[in-house]
Amino acid sequence: MLFNSYTFIVFFAIMLALHNLPLSWKTKKVNLLLASYIFYAAWNPPFILLLWLSTVIDYFVGRALYNQKDGYQRKLLLVISLVGNLGMLCFFKYGGFLLENFVAVVNALGIDYQPAAPNIILPAGISFYTFTTLCYTIDMYKRKSEPVKSLLDFSLFVTFFPHLVAGPIVRPPQLVPQFETPRTASQQQLLNGLFLLSLGLFMKVVLADGMLAGSADLVFNAATALPTLDAWMGVLAFSGQIFFDFAGYSTCAIGIASCLGFTLPENFRYPYAAIGFSDFWRRWHITLSTWLRDYLYIPLGGNRHGEFRTYTALMLTMLLGGLWHGASWTFVVWGALHGIYLCVERLFRPKPLTPDQIILEAISNKEEAVEPPVITASASFAPAFLRNKGATNFFAALFTFFLVNVTWVFFRASDFPTAGRLLSSMFGNINGGVPVLTTLAILKVSVITVLLVLTHWFMRNTSVLQVAHKLKWWLVGIIWAFMLILLLLSQESSSSFIYFQF
Amino acid sequence: MKPKQFGKAAMLTVVLLALFIGGWEWYWRSKGYETLFDDSDALWADKRAMVYDAPDKSTVFIGSSRIKFDLDIPTWEKITGDKAVQLAMVGSSPLPALYDLGNDEKFGGKLVIDVTEPLFFSNAPPFNKTPKENIEYYKKRTPTQRFSFEVNHFLESNFVFLNREYLSTNALLGKLPLTRRPGVFVFPDFPEPFDRSYFSRQSFMADEFVKDTNLQKQMQANWAMLGEAAKRMPPASAKDLETMFTSAKDAIDKIRSRGGQVLFVRTPSSGPMGEGEKMGFPRDRFWDKLLAVTKTEGVHFADYAETAHFICPEWSHLSPADAITYTKLLIRQLEQKGWVFPHKTATANQSSTSKL
């Protein structure tokens, strides 16, 4: 069931009503669980069996892992869980990809092997709920937290409909305790939730689907080379589209959970205002990047075993992170680019200061602070606007945004020739490409991109709710109504969210 | 802001939204708009599911926009007692829909295939895009999509401004007088009164369009421009055409093997478009050959005195009044071809249907 569908609006209204009836907490949890199964079954009912299988296995394996004393047995249980979860993910998501590459390799070796094309349907949200259950069993193995007390709570933790299909990827300590005590939304939570739901739908339906998707599709589907302007506009359009689509989904999910009295973790923090790539990954798909850090990068050694091992762990994490997004080499390259950016950034970052240097730094800063600003300015050869730290950071953020856009080419292109053609067009290696974007399309992409980057920059250290609560009530009302009116006027059909395919 | 103040903001939002909806709806109604239905994949899928409803009491139509305009469904249903299931798609080839019905083991009813030569005898991807998307949507339709469709039907039945084609944000922005970028193909602007759609998927021209020769000329210019664009597409090769003929025959044979009846129909076109089609697609090489290879009967408007005279306001589609007349005549022509409508409740126009 899509958040941007009439069915969901009716479903959600019923859920809100049920959740606020004077029923026992257990009954309300059962309602939420059944509703979550209905929500999921709306795509493809048989796949609900996979969800049950994953839930039941991990619940019991998790408990056993926590209670088991024998080290060998514990490792065996962990392997069962990993094989079960990752095996399912590999079969459904990477089965075709693995077979395709296997065939390419054996054909290259001169063996004529042409198997029938596998017809595997990807269950919605499998990448997300697999990561949710995986982190539980790994936590149980490490005894990081207590096992979930009941199968009902664990099932709800895995299946809770706001996060089920496209995150945020939740950890047990973030959500399970919330199921242990009765809760309904306070007036503030309900209003915050409805506001976030409206904002999320506005981002998805009006901006991603209505304003940007068309231009991105035209450019990425173009069979020939494009003029530089069209190529850049297409990439910027996709850059905006994927943010509004995915952040829109997360905002809806957080808003829906809030309406029911639950809190989900933040997933986006104005990523296009990031200064550098480590900052970008602290702002983009936060729950995935922290998952990868905790369950992949750190177990691979993190930064505890010297520089070489650190860079290796970083690259491996980003390559696998890329592959998580899709079973294609283009996603691996996307991950590799991010890995390279992170490595380069790490290589050139200032070394940690020694205690003596810290003292010296503190003293020199103190001296600068008392120095008249006019002297500092006249002593510098840099242009005035660059001597402002804010301006420098802004340009650093713009440079990061530029590099991020280059990576999106590989993320969105269906294959390497398309990516290559587009990159050539973007960097001017094309003579006389065929333009595809209209003046209106270029205007829409330009205006939205500028507003997007500026909004991210000015909001980079705050949150939308913090800002909304600081504004006058009538201004919030007007902005809220504006979003809903545009939502109504866009009349976009219920198109799926991009991240559902992952 | 305190919760109470956020509550005030929410109240203001509701009031502003209600005021806007009321005002916007009133504005478009005052401009003469009426409630219409988006001819979407969901609406197509809704009709596609109807092909199984009482095969002896329904006739399925596939083709391009012409049959959508030229078949007046109320007239058809009143005279034949048959339900008309309109599956034709604007600007598209009927072949994907024919293959889909041919491969559908459950379909064995009456099928009328509208032939618009430039679309039918072409394998240009744009002419197959919508049919493929609609068929895929139908096959993958989920229960929630069906429910959303019903809600949308209710809303579209009541609000004029819910008109995606002409009154959505993008449609309204598209009317801005912006400088055109050289070299960019821009789909021509179809005047709104030209193409309106009922829930049955029947298209019709508004009175305004039938009366206004300027609007008609605008559409004629649009057809001329699209015709020029189509000329730049590579024509179907002789081999492609052979494949089309044999694939169509295979699909038709499958439908017949399940007890179905199939017939081709060529609806009227006139003016330069009619002449262009006659020249570009000589009957002996296309229409006649199609009937011969597929061993299927056909009704060509030019073969009958009473349908040969129709003048299409913009060269390609009949006005609503002519569509009623044409539908009555088409029923008689089908009966002459041996089609039987067992639930017929009224007699068709008594005028004779003499072959030219």
Side-chain angles (χ1 to χ4, degrees), chain A residues 425-481:
Chain A
S425 301
M426 285 163 72
F427 293 102
N429 290 336
I430 294 297
N431 289 324
V434 182
V436 292
L437 296 180
T438 60
T439 311
L440 178 63
I442 290 173
L443 269 177
K444 283 197 280 191
V445 176
S446 309
V447 170
I448 291 172
T449 304
V450 169
L451 290 177
L452 172 67
V453 172
L454 288 178
T455 307
H456 279 215
W457 181 253
F458 289 113
M459 299 275 287
R460 69 191 306 273
N461 295 319
T462 182
S463 77
V464 70
L465 283 179
Q466 280 174 349
V467 172
H469 284 277
K470 278 182 196 163
L471 295 175
K472 299 279 183 200
W473 66 268
W474 52 267
L475 190 55
V476 174
I478 291 171
I479 294 169
W480 198 343

Side-chain angles (χ1 to χ4, degrees), chain A residues 17-247:
Chain A
L18 278 176
H19 197 65
N20 286 286
L21 286 178
L23 302 169
S24 71
W25 180 232
K26 190 173 180 182
T27 310
K28 286 185 182 182
K29 286 197 288 187
V30 171
N31 284 342
L32 281 176
L33 184 62
L34 291 176
S36 299
Y37 286 133
I38 292 170
F39 177 87
Y40 190 73
W43 271 285
N44 200 334
F47 284 139
I48 212 160
L49 294 172
L50 288 179
L51 196 55
W52 284 339
L53 190 70
S54 179
T55 307
V56 170
I57 288 177
D58 286 312
Y59 175 70
F60 288 106
V61 170
R63 286 188 81 82
L65 270 171
Y66 190 82
N67 296 321
Q68 181 60 250
K69 301 280 186 284
D70 181 76
Y72 175 76
Q73 296 273 354
R74 294 183 76 235
K75 278 188 179 137
L76 186 69
L77 285 166
L78 181 67
V79 168
I80 289 172
S81 172
L82 291 178
V83 168
N85 283 304
L86 295 176
M88 213 156 68
L89 186 64
C90 280
F91 175 76
F92 284 102
K93 188 163 176 173
Y94 302 106
F97 176 67
L98 292 171
L99 181 66
E100 192 185 304
N101 283 283
F102 176 74
V103 171
V105 170
V106 294
N107 287 349
L109 294 172
I111 303 164
D112 185 25
Y113 174 58
Q114 298 297 339
N119 188 18
I120 303 170
I121 303 169
L122 183 69
I126 190 167
S127 308
F128 287 91
Y129 70 71
T130 302
F131 271 32
T132 302
T133 53
L134 262 183
C135 74
Y136 176 71
T137 44
I138 296 171
D139 282 0
M140 289 302 100
Y141 177 74
K142 291 183 175 172
R143 296 202 175 102
K144 264 188 174 175
S145 56
E146 296 273 311
V148 180
K149 291 187 183 79
S150 74
L151 182 58
L152 174 62
D153 283 6
F154 184 73
S155 305
L156 200 48
F157 157 68
V158 176
T159 319
F160 188 47
F161 70 87
H163 77 73
L164 172 62
V165 185
I169 300 167
V170 285
R171 313 280 184 92
Q174 288 170 323
L175 194 54
V176 172
Q178 299 186 55
F179 295 135
E180 286 168 0
T181 49
R183 59 179 61 227
T184 47
S186 63
Q187 190 196 353
Q188 186 69 68
Q189 275 179 305
L190 181 68
L191 291 170
N192 283 348
L194 291 174
F195 183 78
L196 290 177
L197 179 58
S198 309
L199 175 65
L201 289 175
F202 172 78
M203 289 161 79
K204 161 68 179 166
V205 178
V206 178
L207 299 174
D209 292 351
M211 297 288 153
L212 300 172
S215 300
D217 289 348
L218 262 180
V219 166
F220 279 91
N221 293 339
T224 55
L226 298 162
T228 303
L229 177 66
D230 293 66
W232 269 105
M233 284 295 147
V235 174
L236 288 171
F238 180 69
S239 195
Q241 184 198 358
I242 191 144
F243 169 75
F244 287 125
D245 189 282
F246 192 23

Side-chain angles (χ1 to χ4, degrees), chain A residues 7 210 230 437 439 444 469, chain B residues 1 144 148 161 163 170 179 181:
Chain A
T7 312
D230 293 66
L437 296 180
T439 311
K444 283 197 280 191
H469 284 277
Chain B
M1 198 190 304
T144 55
S148 287
F161 75 84
N163 179 336
N170 274 327
T179 315
R181 271 185 91 202

Side-chain angles (χ1 to χ4, degrees), chain B residues 188-240:
Chain B
D189 184 20
F190 282 24
E192 190 276 336
F194 164 63
D195 183 6
R196 293 184 176 179
S197 189
Y198 292 120
F199 188 65
S200 64
R201 294 191 74 251
Q202 178 180 336
S203 298
F204 66 99
M205 298 167 191
D207 284 348
E208 187 187 343
F209 185 84
V210 179
K211 288 175 190 159
D212 189 337
T213 51
N214 283 333
L215 290 177
Q216 292 167 15
K217 281 178 185 159
Q218 185 187 339
M219 272 314 296
Q220 289 165 1
N222 286 345
W223 296 137
M225 182 212 159
L226 290 173
E228 286 303 313
K231 279 181 195 166
R232 289 197 288 273
M233 292 181 192
S237 65
K239 195 181 166 195
D240 291 339

